Amino acid sequence: MSTGSLPTLVDLARKSLLQKESLAIPALEQLPPQMFPPLFEDAFTARLKDTLKALVRIWPFDTLPLGALMKEPQLDILKAVLDGLDMRPTRRSGCRRCKLRTLDLRSIHGAFWSACVHACPPGLVGRMQPVQHSPRMCARSAVKVMANLCLSDIMPNEFLAYLFQWVKKNPRTVHLCCRKLKISATFLYSIRKLLDLLELGCIQEVNVRSTWHLSTLAKFTFYLGRMSNLQKLCLSHICVSTDSSPEEQEEHISHFTSQFLRLNRLRRLHMRGVSFLQDHLDRVLRCLSAPLEALSITNCVLSEADLVHLSQCPNTDELKHLYLSCVPLTSLRLEPLRVLLETVASTLRTLDFLDCEITDSQLDALLPALSRCSQLTTCCFYGNKFSMETMQGLMRHTGNLNKLRLELYPAPLESYNAQGVIQRARFFELCRDLLGILKEIREPQGVMFSTRPCRNCDKRVLYSMDMPYQCQCPEPA
């Protein structure tokens, strides 16, 4: 047996402590802080719930990242830890340690269990005698419980249900903090009681993944406006009820957009299938309190007036990421987008025009501005209608963009026959020619060409720098 595999004195001490739980608990007060994390892990693995309670009661660190140990929710462990929090020393009881301020249920901070030992102040190692703190230092203070949550119409699982009930019983000493909040509830009333339990000022990201009426969104603004640290907001499938009058719609939009004035940390705004945006984008943009870093508008209909407001809004002139996916642009003048690209040329890193059906003449208006986007790392033009000649011009205009790492281009129109069916051999030939033009100017990192989805299997035929990929459907004669 090698020396490295021999158990250390600390290992032996941990094993001895855990063999008899009734004897281990009184001895915890005498242990140095360095032994708490490995001992907690051992007790967690062995499911020694009384030991876990006792460890939590005198936990010597600010944070207990419990979520990093749980691959899936474990109700019995949660109950033991929360019981330990309830048993923390009070102002009147003598205690050696009472430092725990945050219980983290997120699956992060995995390195804590090995790194926190090294973070302990020098001199604590080997100090076996209890350290006496004054009663004032041992007074029970509020605990922050960190969790990323998804709220839906159905009752939460037993793990979350127990957590919510515990938080509800301890409103003064527990703050439930959620950095990333997902909402899949169709009806706001079904999650209102849960939203009322949250420290809304802690929320940094909100993702609404359900179909809401505009009136529901307006009611949600009561909570949205209190999320003072919100950095990212994602809205999906906000529809306008046919029963609401134009006056009611205007009122709902005003309720929603007015809250943006209070969100001075909002930097990323993503809107997918938001039906009220057409002719109202200016209402959203002008209420922003600070410049956006990312703006995503997907599966929405915009007007030319919307594009003008997009290009003129001072809160879009520092964009790093612009996504206009599945936004029909064929019938619109794109000069406002050219102005926007010129404005953000020094900051823009991602540009996505997926399935916007942009035509040759429209792209020609954008190319001079596109060639000035020197920080661009990713661009996507899949699903647009470019001829081979226009594609050649696109290759030359992106030729000087040396920071591009991913480039996604559509199949030239000449790749299709008169019935709109892809001719694979022709497609691969044209792609090789276009890639050759690009290689004459610079060394591309990742380039891919894509056809429209196959009519039979809905997959795309792809041509990349490495090899072509095609669906298995037989090619028409």
Side-chain angles (χ1 to χ4, degrees):
M1 181 182 293
S2 65
T3 305
S5 62
L6 292 175
T8 65
L9 290 176
V10 174
D11 294 332
L12 293 173
R14 286 160 48 196
K15 183 177 180 181
S16 176
L17 280 170
L18 294 173
Q19 282 178 342
K20 291 188 177 181
E21 193 172 14
S22 61
L23 298 178
I25 293 174
L28 295 180
E29 285 279 358
Q30 309 300 320
L31 298 180
Q34 288 85 344
M35 286 193 66
F36 273 71
L39 195 60
F40 190 97
E41 286 188 89
D42 292 342
F44 175 89
T45 302
R47 312 191 81 76
L48 301 177
K49 292 183 277 293
D50 287 339
T51 301
L52 290 174
K53 293 179 189 178
L55 286 167
V56 171
R57 186 179 70 85
I58 54 174
W59 188 250
F61 304 100
D62 288 340
T63 300
L64 174 57
L66 180 63
L69 295 180
M70 293 192 294
K71 294 182 179 179
E72 57 185 25
Q74 300 179 39
L75 181 58
D76 59 336
I77 297 295
L78 177 68
K79 288 181 177 179
V81 170
L82 296 185
D83 285 348
L85 285 173
D86 286 335
M87 293 164 53
R88 285 181 305 148
T90 63
R91 184 182 297 272
R92 293 190 179 92
S93 64
C95 65
R96 175 187 168 201
R97 310 177 184 94
C98 44
K99 293 184 178 179
L100 182 58
R101 298 293 179 268
T102 302
L103 173 63
D104 200 332
L105 300 179
R106 300 172 297 172
S107 57
I108 60 175
H109 302 307
F112 169 88
W113 301 101
S114 59
C116 70
V117 172
H118 306 291
C120 292
L124 284 179
V125 178
R127 184 178 297 176
M128 302 300 292
Q129 298 302 314
V131 178
Q132 298 298 326
H133 290 315
S134 68
R136 181 180 298 275
M137 293 178 65
C138 292
R140 183 176 298 172
S141 59
V143 168
K144 181 187 300 183
V145 179
M146 303 294 302
N148 291 331
L149 302 174
C150 181
L151 306 182
S152 62
D153 291 318
I154 61 175
M155 290 296 293
N157 57 44
E158 289 184 325
F159 184 91
L160 289 179
Y162 187 86
L163 174 64
F164 288 138
Q165 286 299 320
W166 183 78
V167 172
K168 190 176 181 179
K169 288 191 300 183
N170 298 276
R172 295 185 179 181
T173 58
V174 178
H175 301 302
L176 182 56
C177 299
C178 174
R179 292 280 190 265
K180 297 180 180 180
L181 175 64
K182 293 181 181 179
I183 300 176
S184 59
T186 305
F187 305 103
L188 189 61
Y189 67 78
S190 66
I191 60 171
R192 272 182 165 168
K193 291 182 179 179
L194 302 181
L195 287 171
D196 289 335
L197 293 177
L198 298 180
E199 289 287 326
L200 298 177
C202 293
I203 298 175
Q204 296 179 355
E205 296 184 17
V206 170
N207 188 351
V208 178
R209 304 171 62 183
S210 184
T211 301
W212 278 3
H213 287 293
L214 180 57
S215 57
T216 304
L217 179 63
K219 294 174 184 176
F220 178 66
T221 59
F222 171 76
Y223 298 97
L224 182 65
R226 293 156 59 192
M227 299 178 186
S228 55
N229 284 296
L230 190 66
Q231 300 173 16
K232 180 178 179 180
L233 175 61
C234 303
L235 300 174
S236 298
H237 304 100
I238 308 297
C239 59
V240 178
S241 174
T242 55
D243 297 333
S244 60
S245 66
E247 292 76 18
E248 289 174 326
Q249 294 176 22
E250 286 294 316
E251 183 179 357
H252 294 328
I253 293 173
S254 295
H255 276 308
F256 169 61
T257 57
S258 64
Q259 299 307 309
F260 281 2
L261 296 171
R262 307 173 69 176
L263 306 179
N264 53 22
R265 294 180 180 269
L266 186 65
R267 295 295 182 272
R268 305 177 73 90
L269 179 59
H270 300 257
M271 296 176 286
R272 179 182 180 86
V274 178
S275 61
F276 70 83
L277 271 192
Q278 186 176 15
D279 291 322
H280 291 101
L281 184 60
D282 63 315
R283 301 276 295 277
V284 175
L285 297 178
R286 73 187 181 197
C287 289
L288 295 171
S289 296
L292 288 176
E293 177 181 300
L295 175 63
S296 174
I297 301 175
T298 306
N299 289 105
C300 298
V301 177
L302 298 180
S303 65
E304 285 189 16
D306 293 324
L307 297 184
V308 170
H309 291 300
L310 179 60
S311 67
Q312 295 178 348
C313 177
N315 289 316
T316 60
D317 58 10
E318 297 179 14
L319 281 177
K320 294 182 180 178
H321 310 281
L322 176 62
Y323 305 87
L324 293 178
S325 304
C326 301
V327 177
L329 297 176
T330 301
S331 60
L332 305 183
R333 293 172 58 255
L334 299 192
E335 279 71 15
L337 287 182
R338 173 181 57 78
V339 173
L340 178 62
L341 290 181
E342 291 172 348
T343 302
V344 300
S346 62
T347 60
L348 193 65
R349 297 177 185 175
T350 305
L351 179 62
D352 191 342
F353 284 130
L354 173 67
D355 290 334
C356 289
E357 301 181 358
I358 300 174
T359 62
D360 284 351
S361 60
Q362 290 177 306
L363 182 64
D364 287 342
L366 299 180
L367 287 181
L370 177 64
S371 65
R372 296 172 55 189
C373 296
S374 57
Q375 303 302 309
L376 203 63
T377 62
T378 303
C379 64
C380 176
F381 290 96
Y382 278 178
N384 292 288
K385 303 175 181 179
F386 302 153
S387 67
M388 184 62 178
E389 181 180 359
T390 296
M391 290 286 292
Q392 290 170 340
L394 179 57
M395 296 297 105
R396 295 189 177 96
H397 277 83
T398 60
N400 66 329
L401 303 181
N402 296 317
K403 293 190 177 182
L404 274 174
R405 295 294 178 267
L406 180 61
E407 306 169 61
L408 307 176
Y409 299 111
L413 294 177
E414 288 82 353
S415 304
Y416 301 91
N417 63 16
Q419 289 73 42
V421 177
I422 191 68
Q423 305 298 293
R424 297 174 190 172
R426 178 61 172 159
F427 169 57
F428 295 148
E429 177 187 358
L430 295 177
C431 291
R432 285 191 291 269
D433 292 344
L434 292 170
L435 195 55
I437 293 175
L438 198 55
K439 288 182 176 179
E440 290 177 358
I441 306 172
R442 60 176 166 85
E443 189 61 36
Q445 301 294 315
V447 178
M448 191 171 292
F449 299 87
S450 170
T451 68
R452 294 191 287 266
C454 173
R455 295 177 179 178
N456 296 321
C457 68
D458 205 38
K459 294 182 179 179
R460 299 174 187 261
V461 179
L462 305 176
Y463 182 91
S464 70
M465 295 174 60
D466 302 320
M467 64 179 64
Y469 168 81
Q470 56 190 31
C471 65
Q472 301 304 311
C473 301
E475 187 172 10

